[in-house]
Amino acid sequence: MQSGPHFVLGPAVTTLGYLNRYTVDSDYGPFIAPSDVRLRRLLREIAAIAQLQAMQQTEAFEKAAVEAGKSPFRSARNLIDDPVGTLSAIPEGIGSIFNRASEQLHREGRSRYEDGPAKQILAVSGYKREYAAKLHVDVYSSNEALQKELDRLAWASAAGNLTLGALSFVTGALALQVASNVRLLEQAQNVVEATPPSELSKRNREHLRRMAVPDAIADRFLRNPALSPRHETIIVASMAALGDIQGRARFIDYAASADTEDAALLFQQMAELIATYHSAVSPVLRIAVVFNLPIVSTAKNREIVFLPIDRLSWTPRNAGIAKALAGERVAEIWMTGDATPRAQAGLSDLGLILAQQCGKRLPLLD
């Protein structure tokens, strides 16, 4: 992962808080990856960008681009460039063409990662989801270079009749080599790839109601712009996989506090670790949030904290949190990264069992 086609990592890695920070030089510009998981995602995205650009050199794409220029959808491209102004000029009597977009146009709380309503009306977003799924990248990624290339191919498909069958996808690329091997929540991933955001929101709300999550909490969760439809769907699927246990609504409320992309991914991976532990290691009986951390009680009478972090150092703050967790009878801390020798010793002195690199045993979707 230090270098490969189209990229090379910078020589230094710094740790800020609990996450490693990488600089990446690529053929498509410089990038910052603010964590291990974001680095894995970025390398898949760089491989995808390379493939998307190669596809645009094909005869099939060139033909579709010409057709898109002739298409009656050409004038509708203003919907993408200026959706607010264009939609406000559409006569009310336009009829049923936009009926299927009604829910999307009136849906509140669209996340910052989604295409605007105009792109979804023109079916561009549907094609983007197909291409992203083929390339094993997140269609809701905040990577602007990736989104630009996805937009180009999706527009050629929506307005120029470019088909997936006319393009070839490399299956042995880095994009697959760095992906997780075992995915408990693959069904949720498939739903994200196949389903428009408005339908995902409706589906997730129904699941939350079945879990007896109060509407006010569900609203805050589903309308949080920091949580993409993918974040929300994987979190909801993880909680649903636990069965009827105490604390699921509390975890949803906890996740609704996400205010950055990194926080959203942290909550998603906490939920994944809990669900995978429940399935592969020991049943989870309840979830509580103490000291702003979810504590899981298991059938083995163990209290566990799952931390999807890269590096744990023994600072005064971390030592204080560890002491408080030990006072709450927490027995184990499972983390996806590793701890410094001093941190390992400090946790051991408090009687806390540390499981490092737990993502190898409890694989994540990233």
Side-chain angles (χ1 to χ4, degrees), residues 69-89:
K70 300 176 182 177
S71 170
F73 281 109
R74 179 178 59 177
S75 61
R77 188 162 188 173
N78 290 329
L79 286 169
I80 292 179
D81 298 330
D82 182 22
V84 175
T86 306
L87 287 173
S88 64

Side-chain angles (χ1 to χ4, degrees), residues 1 40-41 43-44 173-180 183 366:
M1 295 174 69
R40 294 194 297 269
R41 286 166 60 95
L43 298 190
R44 291 200 296 274
L174 173 71
L176 293 182
Q177 293 173 3
V178 299
S180 301
R183 294 180 171 182
D366 284 351

